[in-house]
Amino acid sequence: MSKVVMVVNDTNFVWNLRREVLQKLISEGYKVTLITQVMNFKDKLEEMGCKIINVNTGMLRIATTLKSFLVCASTPFDASITITAESAAIS
């Protein structure tokens, strides 16, 4: 099974604005991991099949970025998707 990690601002953002992307990835057989600040919808996202790694986005950005990098580096993923309110990038 292919793996995808998404780094997003918070669970509200991903549920309200990227839920369809998650549903499509999961329906195509991807294992989806979200690195995000948990606010609302955690249970619904997990019921969809997402694994959630909680990060506090109120921390200094460098610390959040470093933690996200370490999590990603320790788990091989086939793709990573970083989504913020300002931009989106796929690598």
Side-chain angles (χ1 to χ4, degrees):
M1 176 180 290
S2 297
K3 299 174 189 172
V4 173
V5 62
M6 294 177 73
V7 181
V8 294
N9 292 353
D10 58 61
T11 51
N12 292 342
F13 175 85
V14 74
W15 180 259
N16 291 321
L17 301 175
R18 298 294 182 251
R19 181 178 13 177
E20 293 80 13
V21 173
L22 296 176
Q23 290 169 331
K24 181 71 171 170
L25 288 167
I26 292 167
S27 72
E28 290 187 7
Y30 288 91
K31 180 177 178 184
V32 177
T33 299
L34 303 174
I35 300 175
T36 185
Q37 181 177 6
V38 173
M39 297 179 85
N40 299 307
F41 309 109
K42 180 180 185 243
D43 293 338
K44 291 183 179 185
L45 290 164
E46 289 177 334
E47 286 172 14
M48 284 177 60
C50 297
K51 176 182 176 187
I52 298 175
I53 298 172
N54 185 28
V55 293
N56 182 356
T57 57
M59 297 168 29
L60 294 174
R61 286 204 186 274
I62 187 83
T64 303
T65 302
L66 179 60
K67 181 176 180 178
S68 299
F69 172 77
L70 292 173
V71 168
C72 290
S74 66
T75 307
F77 290 96
D78 299 300
S80 67
I81 303 170
T82 303
I83 301 174
T84 66
E86 297 87 27
S87 67
I90 299 176
S91 60

